[in-house]
Amino acid sequence: MNWSNVKLILAREVRDQLRDRRTVFMIVVLPLLLYPLLGMSFLQILHLMQEQPTSVLIVGYEETDDAPALLENDHFAPNLFRKPGKHRLLKLHFAGIEPDEEGVSVWAAARINTAEEAREAVLDGHYDAALFFPEDFAERLGHVRSLHAEWAQHAGDKADSKGVVRRPPVLPAVPQPEIFYTTANEKSQIAFARLFDVLRRWREEISRANLIVGGLPPTAVHPFEVETSDIARETGTSGIAAWAKILPVMLLIWALTGAFYPAIDLCAGEKERGTLETLLCSPAERSQIVCGKLLTVMLFSIVTAVLNILSVGLTGWLVLARMPGFGAPPPGAALWLLLALIPISALFSALCLALAAFARSSKEGQYYLMPLLLVTMPLVILPMAPSVELTLGTSLIPITNIVLLLRSLLEGHYWLAVQYSLPVVAVTLVCCLLAIRWAVDQFNQESVLFHESERLSMGLWLQHLRRDRMPTPSVGAAVFCGVLILVVKFFMSFSVAKPNDFGDLAEILIVTQLAVILTPALLMTILFTRRPMQTLLLGRDAWRPKLLLAVPAAFLLALAINPLANAAQLMIMRLYPIDPDVLALEGLFKEAPNLGIMLLLIAVLPGICEELAFRGFILSGFRHMGYKWRAIIWSSILFGFTHIILQQQLLAALVGVVIGFIAVQTGNLLPGIAFHVTHNSLALLISKITPEMYQRSAWLQSIMEPVDGSFAYRTSALVVAAMFSIILLFWFHQLPCRKSEEEELREAIKIGGEEPWENEEPDQTEADSLTDDQRKPITIAADN
Amino acid sequence: MIYVDGLSKHYADLRRGWFVALDGISFHAKPGEIFGLLGPNGAGKTTTLRILATLLRPTTGSVSVNGYDVLMQPSKVRRQIGFMSANTAIYDRMTAWEMVEYFGRLHDIGREELRQRMEDVFTRLKMNDIRDLLGAKMSTGMKQKVSIARAIIHDPPVLIFDEATAGLDVLVARALLDTVAELRDHGKCIIFSTHIMREAEKLCDQLAIVYQGRILAEGSLNELRTRYDEHDLEELFFQLISSTASEDKAEEAAAISQ
C-alpha cells in the first residue's frame, strides 16, 4: 500500500469536513452544549416533579380531632412527614367548608358529603385524591383507647388475686378510612403515595399512644431496627455500576453517529456532487481511496465519541454526582474507553462507508441510518440485561462483547476482562476486516458507483429478472433465496404447535424440508435461470465418468470426517450447553417406529432438499462473486443459519464448507448429497449406540470410549480420521474445478500482475519488460 | 497511442433487458491529433471514454492506452491520461490552488516541480485571480478552468474530454476549445467527444460517428466528405443515422415476418 496517497486523501477529507459547518456543529459544538443543557433541564424537571403540590379532599375531617392530631392549621401535622416542610405539598380541602382564601377556586368542596361524591370528584379530576373518614370513626377510635386504659388499670390486681392473667379485651373493629385515587393519572398516584405515608405514620402514632395508655412500652411493636450500610458510598465508588452500564453504550452510539454523517458526505455526497468520478480517474487506487476515507471517518467517529464522553463525564461529575446512587465516573474509565474506541470506530466506520458507497445520494444514505441502528442497537442493548455477563459465549458476539468487556473493566473486574480479551479482540478484528473488505468491494462495483436513479417499479423489475435471467442465478438471487428460506422458517417456527409425538415431529420435518427449503429454491431456479440443470449442478457435463468416482469418495470422506465432526460437536456443546427443552424434543425421536424411517427423515430427506437449495441454487449464485472460497463460505453461513439451535448452526456451517468444496470441485450435486446423507446417518447411528452394544463389540471399543453417558471417539481414531480426511480432501482438490466467468476474470487479472485495487509502485521498466505474450489483451466471453 | 479493438459493454437494464451500450467498436488515436467521437446522446460516447479512463470495465474487447491495458493495468493507465467530463466536478470546499495541488500530489509530482508546474498552468489558463477562491463560489467558467488545470497538471500524454463544453456559454466554450487545440499542438493525443457539429468540424483531425453503440463512419473530415459526397457535416451525420435507423427497421420487420 502506498501510504503517501492515503495520507494525502486523509488530509484532504479532514480539511474538507472541517470546512463544513454542519459537521463541526454535529461533532464539536453539539456534545459540548448538549449534555450540560440536558443535565440542567433534567435536574429542573426532577425538581419540579418532586415539588409539585397535590390537592386532596378530606371528607369527614371532624372525625380526626382526637390526639395525636392528624391535622394542624389546615394541613397534615408536620411531624407526620419525614422531611420538614413537606406537609405543604398536600393541599387540603375539606368537604362541607367553603374555602376562605380569596381567589382559590375549589370545586364545590362544600357540597360533597358522601364517599360516593368524593369518589366522583376524584374521577372527574377535581382533586388528585380524596380521603374519606366514615361517621363515628373518632368515637370508636376513642372507645378502643378507653378499653385499653381500662384493661391496664385492672390487669395488675385481677392477676394477683386469682393467679390467672386476664385476657386482653376483644377490641371492636374500627371503621376503615378510605383513600380514593386513580392510577390513570400520575399526579393522583403521587398524591396517593403521600397520603398513604401520612396515614401510616399517623396510625403508628395512634398505636404508640394506645400502648402507652395500655401500660406497655412502645418498643413492644418495634423490637428491632435494621441498619443498612452501602460500602460503595463509604469507599466513594457509589454509582460505578450505573456508569459501567451507561458509558459503553454511550460510546458505541456516538462512535456510530460520528462515523455515519461524515461517511455519507464522503461517499454518497461526493457521488452526488460529481467529484467521485474525478477522484476515481486519478492514480489513487481504490484501496487507497477507501483507506483514506476510512481513516477520515474513523477520526471523526473517535473525536465525536471522545468529546461526547468527556462532556458526559464532566456533566456527570458536576451535576449527577449529587444525586443518590450516582458517584463520579470510575477512575481509569478514560483509558479503557479510549482503548475500546479504536476497534469500535474502525468497525462502525467501515460499515458506514460501505453503506454510504452503496447510496446514490446523501438523501438515500440518510435512510440507511435506521436499518443500521436496528441491527446494532440490540447488540448494544443486550448487555444491559442484568443476567448477561462476560462468558466465552457472549465474548463471541460482536459489539456486545466489547460492551461487556468495557463494563467489567469499568467495574474493576480486571481478571475477568483479561481472560476474555483474546476472543473479544479476535472477533472484533475479524468483523472489522470483513466490513473493510465490504467497503472496498463496494468501490469496485461499477454498478454501485455509477448507477443512476431509476424509478422503482416492481412489475418491471420482476419482468427484468425473468427476461434477462442468466444461465445460473445472480449473487442477489442467491442471497434472496437464502434469506427467504430463513424468514419463512422463522415464521413457521412460531405458527407451528410444539410437537407432542413422533407423528407431529415427522410432519414438521417433512414440511420444513419440502415446503420451506426445497420449494423456494426450485421455483427460483425454474423462474430465474436459463439453465436450471446447470444451476442445480445436475447438468450433462456433470456426469463425466471421472466425476462419478466422486460419489464413493464423498461417502468415504463423510466416514472419515465423522469423528472430527463429532469431536467438534462435543466441544461446541461444552461451550454452549443445550437447553433441556430442546433435549426433550430429541426424546420424541425415540418413538420412531423403526430406524429406516428415522434415516429417511433425518438423513435422506435433508440430504436431498438442502443440497438442492444450498449447494444447487445458492452456491451457483454466489459463484458469480468471483471468489470460489468466498462463495463456499457464504453459502455455508446461510446453510448454518437454517438450523434451529446455535449448537447445530455452528457445526452445520463447518460441514457446509466441506460439502460446498466438494460441490465446487466436482461441479456435481450427487457427491455432496452422498456426503450429507452419510454424515447425518452416522450422527444418528452414533446416538443409537447402547452400553450393551458397546460391551459386545470389540471394534466399537477400539475406536470409541464412553464419555458422560454417551460415546466419543478415541484420540487415536481422531488422528487416523484426520489423515484420511486430508488425503480425500486433497483428491477432491486436484479435480479439474470448473470456474465461473467471474473467477476466470479475477484469475486473469491476477496473472496480469495487477489487481485493480491492489497497489503497485508506478514502475515504467516493469511494464516494458513484459513479453508480448503477457501484454496480449485478454478477451472475456460475452455474457450470453 | 490509444488502441480500441472490438470493445463492447453490456448493462443490465430494467426496461430494455440486457442493454448493449457498445457493440464492438474499434478505433485508434495518434499523438498530436484530436480524435473526435461524434454522436447523439446515448450513442455510447461516455461509456467508451469511461472505459478508457478505467472507470468502467469492458465486457469484451481490448483497450490499451500508451501500451497499458485498461483491464490489467488500470492504475498505470490512469497515470497516462487526463480525464475531464461534465461529471468530473471540482470540490466545493477547496480553493482552486488546493484542488490542483491535491491532484498533482496524487500523481506523485515532487513538491518543487509541482509548484513550478502549477504556476505555469495557472498563468497559462489565466487563473491567478481565482487561486484562493473556494469551488462553491466559482462561476461555471472558472470551474471549467480548474478542471482543465486538474487534468493536465501531471502533463499526461493522453487527454480525454467527454462533452467538455456541455453547459458552457460561448466565450468559455471557445476558450476551452482553444486550450484543447493548444494541447494538441504540444503533441498530446486527445480524444474529444461531442454532439455539436461545429466543434467537431473546427477541432477534430479524425472523426468517428457513433450511433447506438456502433461506429458508423471513421476518417478525417475531408475523407468523410469525399466518401459520402456531402460537404456539410451535419447533413452527413443525419444521412448516416437515418440510413442506419431504416436498416434497423427493415431488419426488425424481416425478423417479425419470419
Side-chain angles (χ1 to χ4, degrees), chain A residues 130-146:
Chain A
L131 177 58
F132 174 77
F133 291 103
E135 250 175 80
D136 68 12
F137 175 75
E139 188 189 316
R140 284 160 77 174
L141 213 57
H143 178 57
V144 168
R145 181 170 312 163
S146 60

Side-chain angles (χ1 to χ4, degrees), chain A residues 12 99-100 133 241 357 502 603 662 680:
Chain A
R12 195 213 78 81
D100 46 358
F133 291 103
F502 181 74
I662 295 176
N680 283 15

